[in-house]
Amino acid sequence: MAPTPERPTPDPWLRAAPPALLEEVTRPWAPPRGARILVAVSGGADSLALLHLLAALAPGRGWTLAAATLDHGLRGEASAADRCFVEEVCRRLDVPCRGRRLQTRPRRGESLELCARRVRHDFLRRTAAIEKAEVIALGHQLEDQVETVLYRLARGTSLAGAGAMTRWAPPLWRPLLRVSRNTLREWLREQGAGWREDASNAELDAARNRIRHLVLPALTRALGGQALAGIARSASLAREEGEALHALAARLAPSPLPAPPGCLALDRRRLADLPPALRRLVLRDHLQRLGGSDLRLSRAHLEAVDALVEARGRGRRVDLPRGLVARREKGVIMLASSIEEKGIDG
């Protein structure tokens, strides 16, 4: 009688993993078998938990992993030590790691937080290209999602903005958005794994830190332990409804009229016939075609262009970021990528 083949021993990390954690990486949005995944690892608990989770799952899923860690050069020896810590953990897990130090210098009018985010994403995308990774895995978790929702609501945002972060926005994958910070830390402690604490996260001069340390605990005390999960669910619904509204706007949008190079011309009356919410989405889409998908347009920008459509006030021109211009001409809203745009007759 042939011996019964031995079953592989389950990874201890997976045996101890909370069901909610495993559920998030077995949903349909998980990368396919054979994918190469770049894991962004800062040294904090969230990204370390993600690294350990994916390292434990990779053999069974046929994934190959690489890691990337970035020292922004903002905390001196502490941030350098974070990078060394991540590189050592990756060595123990046999995951190749690319670490780099980049000085973070904000552009004119750019906050340090936005600058760090831009530098980090640029680094991750370049590293993913070098590693030939189709997926970049990020360790954002439930509280990160709630912080983003509250921050955007407080500043005034659309349905898309209230939707905050999404699990899958190729190549970015955020499998932990429904898993709480405490769940991840307890899991790491059970496995005897350490992590690094960024002291700057405790400083209350940053708005996100004030939300994290003051607002979220107050919400939990006032409304109970499920309040944060409820806000995260609302974000998911807002994102789904925002996507549906966006699809409707694309279907109803008037086609551009003939225009000079670098310009888009839209029939003003057809735009004016659209409901205001759909009209602003159409305007945003067309402006991003000219200025790039990362063009940052405020509500005030869109309302000013919308006023041109409805012919409110005497203004006939709106200056926008990146040198874009919107002008009302005869029956036409002209969107141009430079101040040298030419008019056309409508």
Side-chain angles (χ1 to χ4, degrees), residues 92-215:
R92 294 201 303 267
L93 293 174
D94 198 23
V95 173
C97 179
R98 290 185 181 268
R100 191 171 178 190
R101 185 179 189 273
L102 291 173
Q103 196 67 39
T104 301
R105 294 187 178 91
R107 296 170 177 168
R108 187 174 182 179
E110 183 180 44
S111 70
L112 183 60
E113 184 179 11
L114 284 177
C115 175
R117 182 180 183 276
R118 171 178 56 78
V119 170
R120 184 167 57 251
H121 278 249
D122 287 347
F123 166 69
L124 290 172
R125 289 179 186 274
R126 288 197 305 270
T127 306
I130 293 169
E131 289 288 340
K132 296 182 172 53
E134 307 96 329
V135 178
I136 300 173
L138 304 174
H140 297 115
Q141 32 72 359
L142 177 70
E143 283 84 354
D144 293 325
Q145 180 77 316
V146 175
E147 289 166 19
T148 302
V149 174
L150 295 179
Y151 180 74
R152 292 182 178 180
L153 288 174
R155 292 169 60 90
T157 192
S158 62
L159 270 179
M165 294 179 283
T166 183
R167 288 186 188 86
W168 178 235
L172 304 181
W173 180 40
R174 298 180 178 91
L176 305 181
L177 285 182
R178 293 188 180 183
V179 184
S180 73
R181 178 180 289 117
N182 283 340
T183 296
L184 297 172
R185 293 183 175 217
E186 288 171 8
W187 184 53
L188 289 174
R189 289 190 189 101
E190 287 175 4
Q191 299 305 304
W195 61 85
R196 300 279 296 180
E197 292 286 0
D198 182 345
S200 66
N201 288 335
E203 298 171 359
L204 296 183
D205 54 340
R208 292 290 294 254
N209 287 356
R210 292 195 294 274
I211 294 173
R212 180 177 309 157
H213 297 296
L214 302 177
V215 178

Side-chain angles (χ1 to χ4, degrees), residues 84-97:
C84 292
F85 173 78
V86 170
E87 290 170 344
E88 176 58 29
V89 172
C90 288
R91 275 194 291 270
R92 294 201 303 267
L93 293 174
D94 198 23
V95 173
C97 179

